[in-house]
Amino acid sequence: MRRRLITAVAVASLTAPLAIAATAGSASAAPRAAKTPVVDFNKDGYADLAISAPGAYDSDVPGSVSIVYGSAAGPDKANAVTISRATAGVPGSSSDGGHFGNRTAAADLDGDGYTDLAVNGGKKAVVLWGSAQGLTGSGSTTLATSGGGITAGDFNGDGKGDLVTAEYPEPEDPMENDDEGMTIAYGPFTRDGKAASSQQVVTSQTFGPGDFVAGDVTGDGADDIVTSHGFEEAAYDSKLWKGGENGVATTPQKLAPSLGGAVADIDGDGYGDFVTRDIGGNFEDMPYQKGTVRVRYGSASGLSDRTTKITQDTAGVPGAGEEGDEFGTAITAGDVNGDGYADVAVGVPNEDIGTTADAGSVVILKGSRTGLTGTGAQAFDQSKAGVPGASEKGDKFGATVLLSDTNKDGKADLTVGAPGEDGAYADSGAVWHLRGSASGLTTTGIDSFGPAAIGAREKGGVQFGVFLGH
């Protein structure tokens, strides 16, 4: 029998935000600043939100994804739509289970200019096609994958959206060959869900990818892939697989163990930098860690040896590192203040606020010419002036984070998920939306809402906001 990653790794990867990928294009000798592709399902220029409510793993909630469209005023709750297996046109039925929406991946898969959404949950993942009306169930179709770890990018730099998953063919004789790997499906996809081509890459023996982070590290216009690996309690080396015009290279660069993160140009040199949680060598230690964010800076040849480590004890960072905070559980990157450098939002879902355990917080770290620092860092929680709500035990504010420009002003806005937030029912979940500005994130115009505010299911521990698709 093939050995698999421990459950803790798989579960943690579901809440790790996907990478901030570079703008696609043909390969070039000159590096290009990695930019955030806009997730725009209706092609109106405003970034849209895909907010998952898959329910807890031990619940029978079938799951759903809510689409909240961007506008000049930010998230447009009045025109939000919620899609599940019960939605007309979506393949399968609610009885299929699988916690629909436990992971999503957004990209223009068919090359029509509208962002599409691949949704995990059930025996096969499905793709919801973007249109002038946004996302609906109409015409949606199954993919050839169950969607394990599904992540989007442009891995051959042709401008078409691609998908990578942790699926790999079972060996004919597991006693002789226990290779694990990943499958890259290259766009454009047809409307019946078929990729233009596919590539299978052996990533390791006995322990396959537990997570993917995608983005253009080398500045060549093709996204690269970071895979994480482990078995039982042991965390093994992560690996960088370079993308290129001929597809993904089959020989990786070895990295320190990691889980989740983002690729973005922190120092403005045109190369994507890998921002991740420094987890050490043992997964069982993670719940007890204060937490460390590690940046390894990009170059034309891959990730360089230049690194930065930041904790809550770093000068300028609000708060203090305490056992079990898990600073870095969720990471996203984008230019909050419009200065040309990617900033980093760090989720600290187990942060105690006063005497309230695991209420959670988010810290914003600023990018600069010299890289990521604690200078000018900001922190937000539900007890901070101007932030709606109240810090309560187990809210886990900051369990998920996403930087995207929902109001199209050139500055990234922050969406924060708190899947443990209680509404009329326990663990119904909620999200907060803070706007970017020249001085950083601001509570001016802040918004917060749970599933009931957009007509989505609230009962049953749905955990609205446990994954933020992009």
Side-chain angles (χ1 to χ4, degrees), residues 83-84 86-91 110 116 127-131 133-141 191:
I83 299 174
S84 70
T87 301
V90 177
D110 59 355
D116 310 304
V127 57
L128 309 172
W129 301 107
S131 70
Q133 292 73 44
L135 292 187
T136 68
S138 178
S140 58
T141 188
R191 282 299 181 105

Side-chain angles (χ1 to χ4, degrees), residues 41-282:
F41 301 119
N42 56 5
K43 204 167 65 172
D44 63 357
Y46 298 96
D48 305 321
L49 302 174
I51 305 171
S52 292
Y57 279 88
D58 58 354
S59 77
D60 59 359
V61 173
S64 65
V65 179
S66 294
I67 309 304
V68 184
Y69 297 100
S71 73
D76 179 12
K77 301 192 296 293
N79 292 298
V81 297
T82 297
I83 299 174
S84 70
R85 291 278 187 186
T87 301
V90 177
S93 67
S94 297
S95 61
D96 291 343
H99 299 280
F100 188 79
N102 64 11
R103 184 152 184 155
T104 61
D108 180 7
L109 298 176
D110 59 355
D112 66 353
Y114 295 93
T115 303
D116 310 304
L117 188 69
V119 185
N120 191 357
K123 293 181 180 179
K124 292 291 183 181
V126 304
V127 57
L128 309 172
W129 301 107
S131 70
Q133 292 73 44
L135 292 187
T136 68
S138 178
S140 58
T141 188
T142 56
L143 294 170
T145 173
S146 67
I150 195 164
T151 301
D154 180 9
F155 306 117
N156 58 4
D158 66 353
K160 309 296 191 301
D162 309 319
L163 296 173
V164 59
T165 66
E167 291 188 333
Y168 192 75
E170 292 283 344
E172 292 183 5
D173 184 354
M175 301 301 294
E176 297 293 331
N177 176 10
D178 55 1
D179 286 343
E180 295 273 5
M182 60 184 171
T183 296
I184 302 98
Y186 293 99
F189 287 71
T190 61
R191 282 299 181 105
D192 59 359
K194 294 181 180 179
S197 63
S198 64
Q199 177 187 9
Q200 292 168 335
V201 177
V202 175
T203 59
S204 57
Q205 287 186 310
T206 72
F207 43 91
D211 188 59
F212 298 107
V213 177
D216 186 3
V217 169
T218 59
D220 64 352
D223 288 333
D224 311 303
I225 303 171
V226 177
T227 56
S228 62
H229 302 268
F231 177 64
E232 296 182 343
E233 77 282 356
Y236 294 112
D237 288 343
S238 293
K239 300 176 182 180
L240 172 69
W241 309 82
K242 297 178 189 176
E245 60 182 358
N246 296 318
V248 174
T250 56
T251 301
Q253 177 185 1
K254 290 187 177 181
L255 311 173
S258 65
L259 188 63
V263 172
D265 190 3
I266 304 296
D267 56 2
D269 65 354
Y271 300 106
D273 309 311
F274 179 44
V275 189
T276 189
R277 178 179 175 182
D278 189 346
I279 62 174
N282 191 312

Side-chain angles (χ1 to χ4, degrees), residues 57 130 301 355 430:
Y57 279 88
S301 59
T355 59

